Amino acid sequence: MDIARTPATPDGNPEMADAARQPSEPSLIRREDYLPFAWLVPQTLLDFDLGLESTTVTATLSVARNPAAARSPVIRLNGDGITAARVEVDGEESSSWTMDGDDLLLSLPGDAHQITIVTQIDPSANSQLMGLYGSNGMLCTQCEAEGFRRITFFPDRPDVLSTYSVRMRGSRAQFPVLLCNGNLTGEGEGENGTHWAEWHDPWPKPSYLFALVAGDLVARSDSFVTMTGRNVALNVYVRDGDLDRTEHAMESLKRSMKWDEDVFGREYDLDLFNIVAVSDFNMGAMENKGLNVFNTKYVLADPETATDGDYDGIEGVIGHEYFHNWSGNRITCRDWFQLSLKEGFTVLRDQLFSQDMGSAPVKRIEDVRVLRGVQFPEDSGPLAHPIRPDSYREINNFYTSTVYNKGAEVIRMMRTMAGEQRFRQGTDLYFERHDGEAATCEDFVKAIEDGAGLDLGQFRLWYSQAGTPKVSVELRHDGSTVTLALRQQVPPTPGQPDKLPVPIPLRIALFDRNGRTHRGEELIVLDSAEAEFSFDGFADMPILSINRGFSAPVTIERDVSRDDLVFLAARDDDPFARYEAMQELMTGHLVSAVGGELSDGDRDAARHDIARAMAAVIEDTKLDDLMRGELLLMPSQTYVAEQMLVADPGRIHAEREALKASIGSALGSELDALYARVEKVPYSRSSAACGARKLKTLVLTYFAASDPAKAAQLATSQYDRADNMTDRQGALMVLAGLDTVERTVKLMDFYDRYRGNALVIDKWFSLQAASLHGNALEHVKALREHPDFTMKNPNRVRSLYMAFAANPHAFHAADGEGYRLVADLILDLDPINAQTAARFVPPLGRWRRIEPGRAAIMRSELERVAAAPELSRDTYEQVSRSLG
Ligand code: B3K
Ligand code: ZN
């Protein structure tokens, strides 16, 4: 047949939808258009002839008609920027193929065939870092979501599972280590200084989980004995010289493996688990089957070069990728709309793991801070989408905090409602029922529903509705009865003007004002627009502690007195609720102050109450220092801005700094004593020592606002005496915000000391871009010309520009210079690395929530980006949604 005249969707591939689109506009892919692929690909053989500048790939696919799909005369094999040097069907060169855009369409007459396709690629020219690319002389891959199609033509969609056998050959000198998924099944010498290796992965997988690494690497090796007594060889591969910094990664991996057995009953399923660290990587890490590829940032650590936060990040990301082996690999996604099936669940799993490895309350608070700092703004802005989106143009734009972090919160709510034990019955059923499948979010919810015995009918709305629900709270007291009246509203979001009420599980406690203790915690579920809950036996109006542990990802609106907040901050037995009360105390004050509602007297009274609550926290001997640090932390500027319909970043910054200064002055002696105590704690990785380090730098930040000269002196001495990166970076962070000669001296010292260590030099860029210094914007402009700055390395780009875009006083400079800087970056970076460039659009996309003067400039900068002649699909989609 003449396949050139084949209808546009011969195989029901949803990527072919939206035929009516403008020629220049990338097509919209819709969840409802999903159709199974017409062909099965039970086996895939790949042969790689490796070279940095030229790699030849020969792919042989066994294909058979999919009985569950509509019959199609052709097979659509996705490609992206590649050409076929040769196409064979059943061993004969074929000419019955044609190109449809980047895809190859091949006419197949029978029910089963063998297709062989040869492609040639240049990994060294691949600056997008998707597909096969060169990094520091090594070759590595990134295939999720649609990178495999940059290597060879393939049905590059997650519901096509295939068993892969791979043979690769290359120069032994250049690529002494040859790695792939699964198990090594053979290796040997070739001609002309080459060698080869053969790998076989027995577990059928989608193409996005394929990985290959070839390079000059060394490994830290260890082993793990699984719950059924199988021995698994473990390796963490890094470049020569980095081996000393891999111990924490390896220990984290072993802890993850054990934890997943203990808590979720999941055992590892291959004899080998490899991790490879690469320095050029678009995100944190990738869960390829048996061969996780990591950004060096999430592997390398020692006390001299990594902060406590870095150590925690490594443990969390190693856990996350490992846990994907079951939640992602054994059960994968049917299509990319189901991304939260694997990401939301795996984030929940990594959060619970980290909670168990360290301080559970502190981890919970950190996770909520990320949710509120990143996901809430996303949910209230132009890019808002449900955790299971309905459409996209570029799937890379949907690896969002909503899909990941809100996705995790949604599953956490199921766990809260079911209880741990029944939730485990639900996940057991899910793993059993869908093992080996490409599943949907609906499959997951159904399994939890059946396994845990929950009715999740209405709860499913959490998957389809975007927006952060608002719950308003009123407490009434009558006789001996207390009535809690709750109302919920899910705000309109783009494309979703009207919302239905969702079930909101709220953990609450009522404190007896006299007894100063509560009568036990209860779980109530608000599942209608309004509801009242009554409690008997209260002679007086109690104090309400609500959304304890942040049991639901909602915002709570209530009138609560500062006295009650001071009480809860000091006395609530739920650590999260204590943190929340402190945050509310400060946020409430800042919002009123910025709104111009406060007399001098009101302002003094509020500051006095905040200082009083902080003093109680400093003196509370029952608190550990990690938690003390959380309670003493001010709400971020973004969080304060999020509480306002339209924010004036300049005013928020000024009020926030003023509050910080007033705390520093009011608590001068308490903070001095605290600093003196924690300064003496010697370095170790214990949580007590981590807590001490957290407080050390926190105290400096208050002094930096109240007494800059004293802060400079303390920070200089902390810098000089530091025997670890946490103290040194903390001190330098404070100095970087001050106008002092020590600022320059220590920044130079830091650079000289760590020159050549890319991850630490990233910190050096970030500290300056994120600093409170009045000239931070000028510093960033100078740093983009620094010889160590490059657009080719995503870590370096993020270290300068993400830190800058998250620095409110610099990014929101009143003259719009910060916005221009970020728009320039997007335009310059887009042709080099579109995925990373598109990540810089959301900060500009917030324009509707910023005061009109700045908003107009933000919008015009977005328009300038939109007008660029050749915009990637990634950036186009984000900019058009942000303007729309
Ligand atoms: N699954 C990868 C993310 C891939 C991102 C592609 N743009 C890492 C993770 O979430 O574990
Ligand atoms: Zn993930």
Side-chain angles (χ1 to χ4, degrees), residues 420-455:
E420 269 176 51
Q421 215 181 342
R422 279 165 56 207
F423 179 71
R424 168 68 193 270
Q425 288 164 11
T427 59
D428 281 354
L429 181 62
Y430 168 68
F431 288 123
E432 187 195 316
R433 198 183 261 177
H434 297 289
D435 187 12
E437 290 180 13
T440 61
C441 294
E442 172 54 30
D443 292 332
F444 181 83
V445 176
K446 187 81 180 77
I448 301 296
E449 199 164 41
D450 294 349
L454 279 178
D455 177 357

Side-chain angles (χ1 to χ4, degrees), residues 238-250:
V238 292
R239 287 166 65 197
D240 198 14
D242 286 340
L243 218 43
D244 291 348
R245 294 193 284 154
T246 54
E247 185 186 350
H248 179 63
M250 181 60 90

Side-chain angles (χ1 to χ4, degrees), residues 641-704:
E642 187 60 17
Q643 314 308 309
M644 302 170 168
L645 212 53
V646 173
D648 181 336
R651 295 207 57 172
I652 302 177
H653 178 73
E655 285 294 345
R656 192 172 172 277
E657 287 307 303
L659 175 62
K660 208 192 281 179
S662 86
I663 294 169
S665 312
L667 299 180
S669 55
E670 286 89 342
L671 292 172
D672 273 336
L674 179 60
Y675 193 84
R677 172 172 73 74
V678 291
E679 191 190 25
K680 294 195 194 75
V681 179
Y683 183 86
S684 82
R685 291 279 311 131
S686 73
S687 67
C690 290
R693 288 191 286 279
K694 181 167 161 181
L695 289 176
K696 231 184 274 184
T697 294
L698 190 62
V699 171
L700 293 185
T701 62
Y702 283 108
F703 285 153

Side-chain angles (χ1 to χ4, degrees), residues 144 285 287 320-321 324 327 342-344 346-347 350 399 404:
E144 188 178 0
E287 70 264 24
H320 181 97
E321 306 310 329
H324 266 315
S327 48
K342 74 179 178 80
E343 296 304 348
T346 304
V347 170
D350 85 53
Y399 286 75
Y404 276 63

